[in-house]
Amino acid sequence: MSTSAAVAVLLLAALAAAGRGAAALQCGQVTQLMAPCMPYLTGAPGMTPYGLCCNSLGVLNQLAATTADRVAACNCVKAAAGGFPAVDFTRAAGLPAACGISISFTISPNMDCNQVTQDP
């Protein structure tokens, strides 16, 4: 697996905000969109989420519009996260807020993807 797959962990941050059609989101899209956030997620000292990272999360948020899309993206993230112990899940959990995105769940390595729903 590549380091861009670990970035998929960030995807969870963007998964729970929109509302759209059938699950069309694929793992390749998720990892590609999360790649700009990897330096932050792996704990680079003094690193804060920057424009490209937050912009990518916004795009992912729009793409993960339905519950089915968010569940699919969550499963992509869980599959990728297992191979990347360097991801700082405290940073991952705080990424949505740092980027000004509101989601209805906490990002963690043992998140139950079946619990991913639309925002209230």
Side-chain angles (χ1 to χ4, degrees):
M1 282 188 203
S2 68
T3 52
S4 64
V7 163
V9 171
L10 289 179
L11 117 84
L12 291 177
L15 293 179
R20 166 187 124 191
L25 199 56
Q26 297 180 5
C27 290
Q29 292 172 292
V30 171
T31 57
Q32 184 177 18
L33 287 167
M34 296 313 304
C37 299
M38 277 311 285
Y40 176 76
L41 288 179
T42 56
M47 184 77 177
T48 58
Y50 55 98
L52 186 56
C53 168
C54 292
N55 289 342
S56 293
L57 283 179
V59 170
L60 183 56
N61 190 37
Q62 291 176 1
L63 291 175
T66 67
T67 299
D69 287 333
R70 289 186 295 278
V71 169
C74 176
N75 285 317
C76 291
V77 168
K78 284 187 73 164
F84 295 93
V87 170
D88 180 339
F89 284 97
T90 300
R91 284 187 175 203
L95 185 63
C99 287
I101 297 171
S102 176
I103 63 171
S104 61
F105 59 90
T106 301
I107 300 167
S108 73
N110 49 358
M111 186 175 147
D112 181 356
C113 293
N114 293 319
Q115 298 300 313
V116 176
T117 62
Q118 293 186 31
D119 285 339

